[in-house]
Amino acid sequence: MLSHPEQKYRPATIPHLPNRQWPNRRIQQAPVWLSTDLRDGNQALFEPMDAARKHRMFRMLCDVGFKEIEVAFPSASQTDFDFVRQLIEQRLIPDDVTIAVLTQARPHLLARTLESLQGARRAIVHIYIATAPMFRETVFGMNQDEVTQQVLQSVAQTRRHADAHPETEWVLEFSPETFNATEPEFARDVCDAVVERWGGTPENPVIINLPATVEMNTPNVYADQIEWMHRHLAHRDCIVLSVHPHNDRGTAVAATELALMAGADRVEGCLFGQGERTGNVDLITLALNLYTQGIDPRLDFSDIDAVARICTECSQLPIHPRHPYVGDLVHTAFSGSHQDAIKKGFAARNPSAIWEIPYLPIDPADLGRSYDAIIRVNSQSGKGGIAYLLEMTYGLRLPRRIQIEFAAEVQKYMDQLHLDHQNAEMSAEQLMTLFEHTYVAPHAPITLIDSRLATAPDGIAQTVAVVWEQAGEHIERTGSGNGPIAAFLDALNLPVRVQWYEESAMAEGATAAASAFVGITTDDGLYSTHGAGIDGNIVSASFKAVVSAINRLVAQHPGSLPQELSIAAYTPAHGA
């Protein structure tokens, strides 16, 4: 049993923020993005990326559109140092991309970091130190003044190096690590001191990055903290205000969105939320959240599967199938009611109108996904999903009556798969096979051999010559009526009549196959069933549908028609 939290955990420290503004704001544009996949994301891996994988990831991040990429922690390992040198010396950094490197505020680590950037066109030097009381007192044994002085010494060291190497455009970034657990006044004061010591200006601003290093509060508290800093920093016009949320509470995306409403200009995170512990904020989810609100995210995820493939191959971390926007199943509906709503949404969709499809907040095609996997059929599925798959894959449009009946057949089939411990999901191909077995394939007691339709001498009535096989015999008869189906039934001369009929082409063009569906009932009204036919000729498809219905009627209700279907014993004509 959990212990008493009120006796064990410190409550959140919320800054005094009267008349907070962020709840009434909306995000109007994309932030400045920084990917830290190659640094924070890489540090979180069981096996950090080697140089080849880091180069591949870097190229992909550039292709997606990131203009700021944190590439390494050069003082942490020779591998990271060498990677930065390779990017610079081999001229692999696009002109519009700025690399960033991270270092603690310690002289020897900073010196190594600055050495790695020799010859860079433009570089962000990201200095951090933990500022929360727990770190100051427990980890460092320092007070606020000592922490501030250590940071300012690192800023001065960086300034001297920058002045000595004017061939590089230097950008300073400072993070009061554990900002969200730091007293607001102290966080403000140390940030103000950094901007002043560096000499930040509106033309050359300092990046002040405010990390939720360990997410410990609700997103609204983080938003209050960001807005408080946004209001109280002394040199706000000389600052790019950045956030770096982690996901320990599982609310990093929400916290980041609220932080942007609260005044943040820039976001640091990783694709798919990778990073230490529970990860950094997921930049893909953030960007596509903006996209669904009509805001250009300025990142290109139009081939999301390629991005996912590179990330998984480089990081060796899987992507959950229900991961927002990206997972294999996020655009897939198994639920019958969901499938029915999606099918109706697509049927009613105007391609020139805004995207409004039930249960699909984003058009999968915008992410390079097809519509093939939107609906998949398992034991939870209903008639809408089954009909959608058959229509999208084969052009077969099932009437509602057939949808209801065939869904029951599919359910029985799925239940049997479950009992046999087999894969409890049906593909479109399997659905079509079952459909043909249920409606198209039955050949007893009647198998249609041939039919020839003609117009009667009066120019109105239709005549048909029919050849069928019954009990091993070929039978040939003619019939007439006011339409092809009426003439066909007259030729068969059975005590049945048509209740309803539907037909449709299964594709465009003169050579496309056609489908026909028919419902029949016995003359006494006691028995009825449905049939279906598929043929390159719509009239032949209609005749096949009638034969399908008769065969199914005999199979379902053995006493519904004369024994052995003695067609010759019945002389009355039956029309449609």
Side-chain angles (χ1 to χ4, degrees), residues 181-322:
T182 301
E183 306 91 332
E185 294 79 7
F186 177 52
R188 174 201 59 199
D189 292 345
V190 70
C191 289
D192 284 343
V194 165
V195 175
E196 291 170 4
R197 178 63 61 91
W198 178 258
T201 66
E203 295 74 26
N204 297 291
V206 174
I207 300 170
I208 294 296
N209 187 54
L210 304 176
T213 307
V214 178
E215 188 182 35
M216 56 185 65
N217 299 323
T218 52
N220 62 297
V221 172
Y222 189 55
D224 277 357
Q225 293 171 327
I226 299 302
E227 184 170 336
W228 191 93
M229 292 289 284
H230 172 63
R231 290 192 196 183
H232 291 87
L233 285 165
H235 309 285
R236 184 62 182 89
D237 61 336
C238 303
I239 289 171
V240 174
L241 194 60
S242 177
V243 292
H244 183 114
H246 279 251
N247 197 41
D248 301 84
R249 289 171 52 91
T251 57
V253 168
T256 306
E257 291 179 328
L258 298 189
L260 290 172
M261 298 175 196
D265 310 306
R266 180 177 181 269
V267 174
E268 298 187 354
C270 292
L271 302 183
F272 303 105
Q274 295 178 1
E276 295 185 78
R277 302 184 315 280
T278 56
N280 286 205
V281 65
D282 179 1
L283 298 186
I284 291 180
T285 299
L286 271 173
L288 294 178
N289 281 357
L290 293 177
Y291 184 71
T292 63
Q293 302 304 305
I295 298 171
D296 181 0
R298 297 185 294 178
L299 293 175
D300 182 4
F301 293 118
S302 59
D303 189 357
I304 199 69
D305 288 337
V307 173
R309 184 173 59 255
I310 292 172
C311 282
T312 54
E313 290 174 359
C314 290
S315 69
Q316 303 297 303
L317 293 178
I319 296 169
H320 194 281
R322 294 294 183 185

Side-chain angles (χ1 to χ4, degrees), residues 371-433:
Y371 297 138
D372 294 346
I374 286 178
I375 289 177
R376 290 163 63 176
V377 172
N378 66 8
S379 60
Q380 302 299 308
S381 304
K383 64 184 185 303
I386 295 164
Y388 176 90
L389 274 186
L390 290 175
E391 181 174 348
M392 290 297 102
T393 308
Y394 298 101
L396 183 64
R397 298 179 180 88
L398 303 185
R400 180 173 174 79
R401 299 174 181 89
I402 299 292
Q403 289 182 32
I404 295 170
E405 183 180 69
F406 186 53
E409 294 296 320
V410 172
Q411 186 64 55
K412 285 192 292 185
Y413 182 81
M414 297 298 298
D415 289 344
Q416 187 58 50
L417 286 180
H418 181 72
L419 289 175
D420 295 341
H421 304 289
Q422 297 185 41
N423 180 30
E425 182 180 345
M426 290 189 72
S427 65
E429 182 179 7
Q430 290 172 308
L431 284 173
M432 190 63 178
T433 299

